[in-house]
Amino acid sequence: MGRLFIFEHGVYVMQEKIKNIKTLAELQALYAEVFGKNGTMTAKLKQMKDLDNDARAALNRENMELRELFKTRQAEIETAVMMAALESQRLDVSLNPLPENRGTIHPLTQSLSDIAIILESFGYEMWTGPEIEDDWHNFTALNTPEYHPARDMQDSFFLENGNVMRTQTSAIQIRSMEKTGAPIKMFGIGATYRKEMDATHSPMFHQIEGLYIDKNITMSDLIADVREFLKRFFEMDDIKLRIRPSYFPFTEPSIEIDMMWRDNKWLEIMGAGMVHPNVLRNCNINPDEYQGFAFGFGWDRLAMLKYGLNDIRQFYDGDVRWLRATGF
Ligand code: PHE
């Protein structure tokens, strides 16, 4: 049986009307017209008892559909009202933005990571050690007896108990050899302290020191590793090195390695040499069986060269403007 339109305008007409209503007040007024005490639907429902079954079912259906239409429209209007309120109270987040203040990587941190990646790829293992050292690790085990002029040369900060602020990361090579013996391939990193202060010297600075002890290690191995390391660190296709004889109590022979810089000037880069047999003996390594080399350099100095910085003290000033200007 087809649909019976009991309600005088039909559900579809009412549907149009309801859809066009924009405010809750108007909707309530229309609702009263239909479902109120004298409402049109209320009147129809009162006559329900006079209808046959089909007409009754149709009226019921229309009654329900109409109520549903009002309910849906009410929800729609309420949502629209809320959205309008939100829109009018909206925060304009593009207004007055705070200046962006991001951290930067410190050039020392960056250079350590560059250095460590290269040395570790050569098989060197990274070590650290205490900054307050005893006489043994900083001097004596490094073949630097008490009367040795090197102790004056280094102008150290001594503590009252006879300990010393580590003057060189060479102390870490002693600790590593004492601990693991030979063979060993390590590099020590850390802060070092000496009484000096100008644009290229700071009382606290950093060193990195490589050590490779095994059977049949020679000076050629040392120079090969240093050359490859410097090439990669400075990202140069080729580098020119100059090897000069030098003196350190803990290496024999000792050398100093210079590197030809971009402006064709020689730059002193690092000290190095074959580890002195006394040093090996001091770490319970038999020098007739094992030998090897050590090299040490100023990590700050290498970073200054790589990034074109000219005052070592800036590394420690904590000046954010300078850090930002270094561009990391
Ligand atoms: N420890 C030396 C210095 O501070 C550098 C060095 C390290 C030299 C290892 C030779 C071998 O000057």
Side-chain angles (χ1 to χ4, degrees):
M1 170 160 299
R3 177 166 189 145
L4 288 173
F5 287 98
I6 300 294
F7 193 67
E8 52 197 84
H9 303 297
V11 165
Y12 298 112
V13 176
M14 281 307 290
Q15 196 172 10
E16 267 317 291
K17 258 190 162 171
I18 291 169
K19 228 165 67 186
N20 288 330
I21 283 179
K22 295 278 184 293
T23 68
L24 283 177
E26 285 172 85
L27 191 69
Q28 271 159 14
L30 185 63
Y31 186 86
E33 271 177 40
V34 180
F35 293 108
K37 205 162 155 229
N38 302 312
T40 42
M41 180 55 91
T42 313
K44 294 277 171 209
L45 290 173
K46 277 181 187 156
Q47 296 159 14
M48 187 88 120
K49 58 181 187 326
D50 304 328
L51 300 177
D52 64 26
N53 278 349
D54 283 346
R56 217 181 260 176
L59 182 61
N60 258 334
R61 209 165 44 233
E62 293 201 356
N63 178 33
M64 307 241 285
E65 281 179 21
L66 266 177
R67 285 179 194 273
E68 201 54 40
L69 284 174
F70 274 103
K71 234 167 92 184
T72 305
R73 186 64 189 149
Q74 184 181 341
E76 282 169 6
I77 295 174
E78 279 169 358
T79 303
V81 167
M82 190 173 75
M83 293 311 283
L86 284 177
E87 185 65 28
S88 73
Q89 293 162 22
R90 202 171 123 153
L91 278 184
D92 183 350
V93 290
S94 70
L95 276 179
N96 298 327
L98 292 172
E100 192 184 351
N101 208 356
R102 291 166 72 184
T104 55
I105 293 179
H106 196 283
L108 273 183
T109 311
Q110 182 61 54
S111 58
L112 174 61
S113 120
D114 295 349
I115 290 166
I117 285 169
I118 300 168
L119 290 180
E120 284 175 358
S121 79
F122 294 174
Y124 292 84
E125 190 182 67
M126 184 153 85
W127 280 67
T128 56
E131 291 179 27
I132 296 175
E133 265 301 3
D134 50 33
D135 181 274
W136 171 256
H137 292 96
N138 198 76
F139 295 119
T140 308
L142 284 159
N143 200 34
T144 316
E146 207 145 331
Y147 52 80
H148 201 286
R151 295 209 186 196
D152 293 334
M153 219 167 71
Q154 292 188 324
D155 241 357
S156 318
F157 292 103
F158 283 98
L159 277 71
E160 278 170 8
N161 63 5
N163 283 345
V164 62
M165 301 301 292
R166 179 173 64 196
T167 63
Q168 49 190 355
T169 45
S170 307
I172 305 176
Q173 64 160 287
I174 299 299
R175 287 186 177 273
S176 69
M177 283 191 287
E178 280 176 344
K179 203 150 194 180
T180 61
I184 185 168
K185 196 171 187 184
M186 59 76 70
F187 67 106
I189 62 148
T192 45
Y193 300 83
R194 292 180 200 177
K195 287 183 187 165
E196 45 194 16
M197 172 96 149
D198 58 38
T200 52
H201 295 91
S202 153
M204 190 276 287
F205 58 106
H206 297 82
Q207 282 192 337
I208 291 183
E209 175 146 343
L211 173 77
Y212 186 13
I213 306 288
D214 207 334
K215 295 178 175 167
N216 307 316
I217 301 293
T218 70
M219 192 80 109
S220 317
D221 300 309
L222 161 64
I223 292 163
D225 272 7
V226 167
R227 176 185 295 280
E228 193 56 29
F229 166 73
L230 292 173
K231 246 172 77 175
R232 293 204 201 171
F233 180 72
F234 289 113
E235 295 163 358
M236 290 176 167
D237 294 334
D238 199 17
I239 55 163
K240 221 175 189 171
L241 296 183
R242 185 168 73 177
I243 314 294
R244 286 181 293 111
S246 184
Y247 171 77
F248 301 101
F250 36 86
T251 46
E252 182 59 37
S254 300
I255 59 171
E256 206 113 8
I257 301 174
D258 300 341
M259 176 182 158
M260 175 79 85
W261 195 239
R262 298 191 168 94
D263 54 5
N264 281 344
K265 280 203 194 97
W266 288 107
L267 285 181
E268 215 179 286
I269 294 286
M270 64 175 81
M274 300 305 290
V275 177
H276 197 293
N278 287 347
V279 174
L280 297 176
R281 257 180 233 117
N282 286 337
C283 302
N284 293 318
I285 293 171
N286 179 0
D288 296 325
E289 195 182 352
Y290 287 103
Q291 61 179 7
F293 60 75
F295 59 91
F297 55 85
W299 152 20
D300 317 63
R301 185 171 147 69
L302 247 55
M304 285 167 77
L305 283 171
K306 180 163 181 175
Y307 306 124
L309 310 172
N310 49 26
D311 191 336
I312 192 173
R313 292 166 296 195
Q314 290 172 316
F315 281 126
Y316 314 114
D317 279 349
D319 185 337
V320 178
R321 291 164 306 176
W322 177 80
L323 281 176
R324 204 166 285 135
T326 59
F328 293 98

